[in-house]
């Protein structure tokens, strides 16, 4: 299976890192990038992947379109497609648009950067021309680097907001919490570790324990205790409203 990654930005590198860690041979992955050849060479040195300047599409089984969304359809138009599986990771592109131009099966995937550590969450939206074995192939590819959920036109934007974009929301929260710890005397890296480990543990609990989040909060918060008082601050500042607005804004096609 030969994979071409078009675009060598952060999403592309995260996928490559995760796929290689999952056992995919680096030699079967080729990367190309429109700008920044130096970055491409660094990726070849770091991961052992192939790099090229001008690609011949017919040598690849899977072509991952990992450039910014505005370049995707133009790239598909510029090339001759035979029987490749096209996988776009771009926001707000539909499989039908790609299939109409290429005549090949297309999958719109929405991964997130944690795929680099095989803890990703990827939404897959299959086009009408995707054959059963291609569905299986795409699903297996993304299962190598985390969990997969099937999406469609309606759910994809919200999957994107909640899984593709949300790592940035979590980093924003960590960024807001860290100074409180450093002001108390922790080193910045130690503060970050404390918060990240608490987040990781809470995520594990959420995955293992199906009770509603209010019940999980009750496990932590004694009435009028420190947690309860902290949660009240979040509620007074209407965190739920803020999170709803952030997710809706990310899901919206600008
Ligand atoms: N960064 C993230 O967490 C996620 C990104 N995505 C999607 O992944 C895509 C890439 O995002 P990033 O990696 O963050 O962007 P990026 O800006 O870091 O990387 C995009 C790369 O594609 C290259 N490029 C653009 N047009 C090209 C072309 N025609 N041929 C070859 N290379 C080309 C650019 O030079 C750049 O290096 C976007 O469409 C985005 O919507 C999806 C999920 C999560
Ligand atoms: O914000 C972006 O452009 C991409 C789409 C999903 C996550 N990052």
């Amino acid at each position: 299976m030969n994979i071409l990654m078009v675009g060598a930005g952060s999403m592309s590198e995260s996928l490559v890192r995760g796929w290689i860690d999952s056992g995919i041979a680096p030699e079967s992955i080729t990367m190309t990038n429109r700008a920044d050849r130096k970055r491409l060479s660094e990726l070849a040195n770091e991961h052992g992947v192939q790099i090229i300047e001008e690609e011949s599409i017919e040598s690849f089984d899977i072509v991952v379109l990992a450039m910014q969304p505005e370049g995707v359809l133009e790239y598909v138009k510029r090339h001759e497609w035979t029987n490749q599986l096209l996988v776009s990771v771009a926001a707000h592109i539909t499989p039908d648009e790609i299939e109409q131009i290429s005549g090949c099966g297309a999958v719109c995937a929405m991964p997130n950067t944690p795929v680099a550590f095989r803890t990703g969450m990827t939404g897959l939206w299959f086009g009408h021309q995707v054959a059963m074995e291609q569905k299986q192939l795409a699903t297996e590819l993304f299962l190598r680097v985390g969990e997969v959920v099937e999406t469609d036109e309606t759910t994809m934007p919200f999957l994107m907001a909640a899984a593709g974009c949300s790592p940035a929301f979590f980093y924003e929260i960590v960024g807001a919490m860290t100074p409180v710890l450093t002001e108390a005397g922790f080193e910045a890296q130690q503060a970050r570790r404390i918060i990240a480990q608490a987040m990781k543990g809470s995520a594990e609990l959420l995955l293992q324990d199906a009770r509603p989040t209010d019940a999980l909060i009750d496990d932590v918060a004694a009435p009028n205790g420190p947690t309860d008082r902290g949660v009240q601050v979040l509620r007074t500042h209407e965190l739920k409203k803020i999170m709803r607005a952030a997710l809706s804004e990310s899901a919206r096609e600008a």
Side-chain angles (χ1 to χ4, degrees), residues 5-14 32-36 39 55 65-72 74-75 78-79 88-93 109-114 160 163-165 167:
M5 307 293 300
V6 185
S10 60
M11 195 61 249
S12 188
E13 188 184 3
S14 300
T32 182
N33 205 31
R34 192 175 52 187
D36 202 352
R39 181 75 195 120
E55 57 275 32
L65 304 166
M67 64 282 262
Q68 290 300 345
E70 53 276 14
V72 171
E74 192 237 307
Y75 182 91
R78 263 197 297 121
H79 291 83
S88 157
V89 299
H92 298 301
I93 298 284
M110 182 50 60
N112 58 10
T113 47
M160 175 179 75
C165 309

Side-chain angles (χ1 to χ4, degrees), residues 193 195-207:
R193 196 152 193 99
I195 302 163
Q197 181 63 16
M199 264 187 157
K200 186 180 173 188
S202 311
E204 196 54 45
L205 258 158
L206 281 161
L207 291 169

